[in-house]
Amino acid sequence: MATEKEVSGGLGLEWRVTVPEGSTVKMEPEPSWISSTWNRLVELGSKLRAKVSTFGKKVWKIGADSPRKVIHGAKVGGALTLVSLFYYLRPLYNGFGSSAMWAVMTVVVVFEYTVGGCLYKGINRAIATLSAGGLAVGIDWVASKSGEKWEPVILSASVFLLASAATFSRFLPTVKARFDYGVTIFILTFSLVAVSGYRVEELINLAVQRIATIAIGIAIALSICMLVYPVWSGQELHLLVSRNMEKLADSLEGCVEDYFVKSEITDAKESSATRLEGYKCVLNSKASEDSQANLARWEPAHGGFGFRHPWKQYLKVAAALRNCAYCVEALHGCINSEAKAPEYMKKHLRDACMKLSSDSSKVLKELSSSIMLMKRSKSIDALVGEMKNAVHELQNAFASLPNHLTQTTASSPSESTEGKKNSNISIADGVALMEAMPLMTIVSLLIEISARIQGVIDTVGTLATLARFEGIRNEKSSSKVQAEEQEDKALQEV
Amino acid sequence: MATEKEVSGGLGLEWRVTVPEGSTVKMEPEPSWISSTWNRLVELGSKLRAKVSTFGKKVWKIGADSPRKVIHGAKVGGALTLVSLFYYLRPLYNGFGSSAMWAVMTVVVVFEYTVGGCLYKGINRAIATLSAGGLAVGIDWVASKSGEKWEPVILSASVFLLASAATFSRFLPTVKARFDYGVTIFILTFSLVAVSGYRVEELINLAVQRIATIAIGIAIALSICMLVYPVWSGQELHLLVSRNMEKLADSLEGCVEDYFVKSEITDAKESSATRLEGYKCVLNSKASEDSQANLARWEPAHGGFGFRHPWKQYLKVAAALRNCAYCVEALHGCINSEAKAPEYMKKHLRDACMKLSSDSSKVLKELSSSIMLMKRSKSIDALVGEMKNAVHELQNAFASLPNHLTQTTASSPSESTEGKKNSNISIADGVALMEAMPLMTIVSLLIEISARIQGVIDTVGTLATLARFEGIRNEKSSSKVQAEEQEDKALQEV
């Protein structure tokens, strides 16, 4: 390895030394061509080595960051090895014949990273195989009764119609979200059974064998997925929403702090960069939230989550949070824009702005830990009250700004007012107003963010009621009473 | 159907009439129970009918809105009917045996809505089947040479290791984006061949048959997908980005118009609601843009797009556009917030704000049509110049606001300054400033949006160069010259 480097460093000269003596003369007419080719090869080799090493480091990082992904790989490998025993053990093989192939296929296709995904595919596959198989056998029977001429026509027509209708049904949002995989398997099974029925005599026998092997495949995949270090979609969603809320809180507080006390924290800037970008996670996580919520509905009770845990409400919380994140994004844009407010204005509003952002951030963090622990927060009302006070304080500080401005501009007019020094106060104010614009936008956005946090509070409150968070006996019982009242009403109407 | 409705209208009385006479007496002891059950059934029936009819309308709407989806269904049905001919035609059947099943399976699994999706799956399936099949046959051969005891051990170990590694590789972003399906097929094929090799003697023969049928399946799926009313991922992405840009322009112009001249357009409000919500499309389309761009790279040249059309650049344009949309979202929030600026301030800034929003919207629309037509816009520089002028005009109008305010507040003090009428001007200004805050934020956001539009202009410019839009011969030739220079440089270095 080291010699390659030396060669590439020493150009063509050293290269000639390594060539067998007899060939040196022959190659002399075109040394530049050969040396350039060799150098290119060496370059390519070292580039390849560098790429492989970068790739290796990347892979290692993914594995080290989340060992669960490595475990998932081993789980799939284990499940496949287990299912391949069907081939090796003769008695089982004799029982199921070549249908054992379906067990392997089922494990490969059904085994997903999360339990929800595995259940979604397993249940979809089971239902689709059974319904499509039954339907196909029925149509086969009808076709076989209608004579040899009509049989292929009936079968082809049924394949065409059902496949077309089923494929179209995948465009319906509900079908797409819950049964997409099932529809594929339905078309597949129906086509295979309906078509092969024309040839194979013992259709029922084959169907039973195939269903049995598919069931074995699903059982192996599900049990390994659920019992060995399971990854639950529901829990992932729960953690994702809760963590995103904390990231947004950090990002909000951090960027306002950064703006007002920038000079003091230049050292720690790099480490805080990822912290500031937290809002981007919130903006970009819609797709993964949607898919986790879709899969979570298939999962049984696990951890603190019941079977009918209100996963959809998490999506509403996430949407309210994203609503805040849009404003935080605009705030970041404002803070990083070229137009800068003069220092004396920043000083005047600094404390009020930082108080509001810190209070807003505290509310979000409290909500985040309330979700994380599934407990109703005791201090949330006080924190919201403080946040509202901070809004009023900021508004007051803002209202006293012009008063402050006229004094300041009178004593030290800003540079851009050249040639207008002697004009009346209102024009000096006008220029000052222009300069204050980014700061005003920041103030306005901070107030808007605190208003949008109210939306997050509401959705989290509904989540707490629906998911029966600890410490909300009053709401729980009142909602129960309401439900009972509604039932009574329904009975009376009848 | 009509009778059911009558019954449900007439309660239990009419119902008893329809019952055979003999049974009337028997049922009398519990008429309330029976009538309630019957009513429930009737209710259920009418509910079901309503649901079915709603569902039917929904399905019809999806089909009527995009007939391409219906055509896609028919295409899949047609492809499956075609492939099922392999079963019906005896000579073909005798040639391929039960492997014909793989043709059906391939068509079902590979046939996707867009050509890109179909090619992605087809190519992935072909490469994965060939490589995994070859590898499995090789390992089978090694295992068979190592004695009967070691054979299952070697095979099981190889299945475990390869399946684990391949499953883990799916977590790498590049593999996930381009080869996810291929990895599944690789694991599947490898497991099936390696494991079945223990039993079946004519492995090579079987492999050739299977590969041939899979090739036939892929060929049928691809040719029908590409030749009959094809849907191209690339074109979809192209249209999506271009349309989203226009929607954002409409939304931006509409909401500012709505704010300043609200009273005049109350009639048309409902029709403009969807227009105003256009920015939401931009915010929510990231996932579909990403997937279309991923699939578009598999597509051959089609329409005006070459094989190496810069699809990734579309994602950058979309990101820049989303960056604008965040601000438009904040703008909407601001406009719909409870705090309203007083009318006289709105009047003062109305023309300048509407000019800027209309100019910004014009720039976006021009860019959108430039992308749509793949032609470089001639008027874009003039429009950008106008937009920049509008920014200055708005800044000037804003700077003259306090001047205007002091005059206005002196003659007609706003209502909220009760008790402060006699205080000095600067405090009256302070209150006015508070009232003006939403308006200031709107001004500031409009200016920020126009700054972010510059980012869209830049990314579209790069797209125009990379995709060689018509009418940019200069850039094209200059980039060619650059590329040639770089090549020369590289040659000289060697």
Side-chain angles (χ1 to χ4, degrees), chain A residues 95-114:
Chain A
F96 289 110
S98 65
S99 287
M101 187 191 85
W102 289 94
V104 174
M105 204 178 278
T106 303
V107 168
V108 172
V109 181
V110 161
F111 211 120
E112 288 279 320
Y113 183 51
T114 64

Side-chain angles (χ1 to χ4, degrees), chain A residues 62 73 77 87-88 90 101 155 160 164 192 195 199 323 326 329 333 395 399 402 430 433-434 440-441 444 452, chain B residues 73 77 87-88 90 101 155 160 164 172 192 195 199 323 326 329 333 395 399 402 430 433-434 440-441 444 452:
Chain A
I62 290 177
Y87 276 94
Y88 298 132
R90 276 165 201 275
M101 187 191 85
L155 287 176
F160 178 80
S164 302
L192 284 181
V195 162
R199 297 280 163 208
N323 220 6
Y326 295 141
E329 206 277 347
Q395 283 171 335
L433 205 60
M434 276 302 301
M440 284 175 196
T441 312
S444 175
R452 290 187 179 194
Chain B
Y87 275 94
Y88 298 133
R90 277 168 200 273
M101 187 191 86
L155 288 176
F160 178 79
S164 302
L172 301 173
L192 284 181
V195 161
R199 297 282 163 206
N323 220 8
Y326 294 141
E329 206 277 345
Q395 283 172 333
L433 205 60
M434 277 301 302
M440 283 175 197
T441 312
S444 177
R452 290 187 180 194

